[in-house]
Amino acid sequence: MPAAIYERPRRTRRRGVPPLLIFAVVFFCLAVLARLFLPVFLPSQPPDPVNPLPDAVPDWVEQALLPVNDYSRPGTWLDAVNGVVVHYTGNPGTTAMQNRNYFAGLAETQETSASSNFIIGLDGEALLCVPVNEVAYASSQRNSDTLSIEVCHPDETGAFNAASYETLVRLVQWAVDTYGLERDQIIRHYDVTGKECPLYYVRNPDAWEEFLDRLAFPS
């Protein structure tokens, strides 16, 4: 009888993990880690500003934006626009651009922190110094949820001249219409901190009420 023929058993070949699957797993893990830890290192800004950007202001407002800096334009987004705060410059006879340049110069002098979203000049011009979706250093604890307007005045009384006054009415009416503000949301610096600002309209409250009477509020 012929000798039995023995065949060596064949080894089963093990298949490795597909490279594409390894790549997918690594990518997924990295994505999870990034979502967990990147917010710790990145600035805590909302994903989108909720307020109009600078080009949403009226076309008769001149954009004279301050450079971003720690002393007059921090570049921080507003939480919301819950009101407008009216100020006077406290520098009789100075122009809107002179006050704007003073705010810009604080980046170099570092003597204080101050600015305003808008400045209205003696000829009725209006400057945008800080975008309407950013914080200006004007109204203390209300910086984060109000727009600020500085108004130039010709003398020590702090009364606004006719040109400045009419532009203030026009600009505040724009804010009322844009943000749906009520009468009690249009306030003086005085109403926030007790400072006599705007001076004439603190010492003459009837004049302030007359100003508010010029505005049309939502019914």
Side-chain angles (χ1 to χ4, degrees):
M1 296 182 61
I5 300 174
Y6 294 96
E7 293 185 358
R8 182 179 295 179
R10 296 180 180 179
R11 294 181 181 179
T12 302
R13 186 175 182 181
R14 295 182 181 179
R15 294 183 178 179
V17 179
L20 186 61
L21 179 60
I22 295 174
F23 175 80
V25 171
V26 170
F27 180 82
F28 175 78
C29 292
L30 289 175
V32 170
L33 290 174
R35 185 168 181 83
L36 288 174
F37 295 105
L38 274 182
V40 176
F41 303 102
L42 296 177
S44 57
Q45 293 281 32
D48 294 297
V50 295
N51 304 313
L53 295 171
D55 59 1
V57 301
D59 57 10
W60 45 267
V61 174
E62 178 185 349
Q63 293 197 25
L65 297 177
L66 303 174
V68 175
N69 68 91
D70 291 337
Y71 293 87
S72 56
R73 184 188 167 191
T76 306
W77 288 345
L78 284 177
D79 294 334
V81 176
N82 293 325
V84 173
V85 184
V86 176
H87 305 253
Y88 84 134
T89 61
N91 299 312
T94 57
T95 68
M97 188 57 71
Q98 285 173 328
N99 284 281
R100 179 265 176 205
N101 291 342
Y102 167 74
F103 291 147
L106 293 176
E108 299 297 329
T109 65
Q110 302 180 6
E111 61 184 77
T112 188
S113 295
S115 58
S116 183
N117 294 100
F118 298 93
I119 304 175
I120 296 175
L122 295 172
D123 294 326
E125 71 275 24
L127 306 183
L128 177 68
C129 300
V130 175
V132 292
N133 61 344
E134 290 185 20
V135 167
Y137 289 144
S139 307
S140 300
Q141 63 266 35
R142 296 301 304 275
N143 286 339
S144 63
D145 77 331
T146 60
L147 297 179
S148 51
I149 304 175
E150 291 271 359
V151 185
C152 297
H153 48 97
D155 57 41
E156 296 285 351
T157 68
F160 306 150
N161 68 16
S164 300
Y165 189 92
E166 291 304 317
T167 298
L168 179 63
V169 171
R170 192 179 181 191
L171 185 57
V172 174
Q173 186 65 63
W174 166 81
V176 167
D177 295 340
T178 300
Y179 300 101
L181 303 176
E182 302 288 347
R183 184 183 180 102
D184 62 359
Q185 293 177 294
I186 310 304
I187 59 178
R188 303 160 295 181
H189 190 185
Y190 170 80
D191 299 312
V192 179
T193 65
K195 179 181 179 180
E196 284 194 318
C197 173
L199 181 65
Y200 182 83
Y201 302 91
V202 172
R203 295 184 177 180
N204 298 275
D206 289 345
W208 178 250
E209 293 302 320
E210 290 173 7
F211 166 72
L212 294 177
D213 289 341
R214 290 284 308 276
L215 304 170
F217 294 97
S219 56

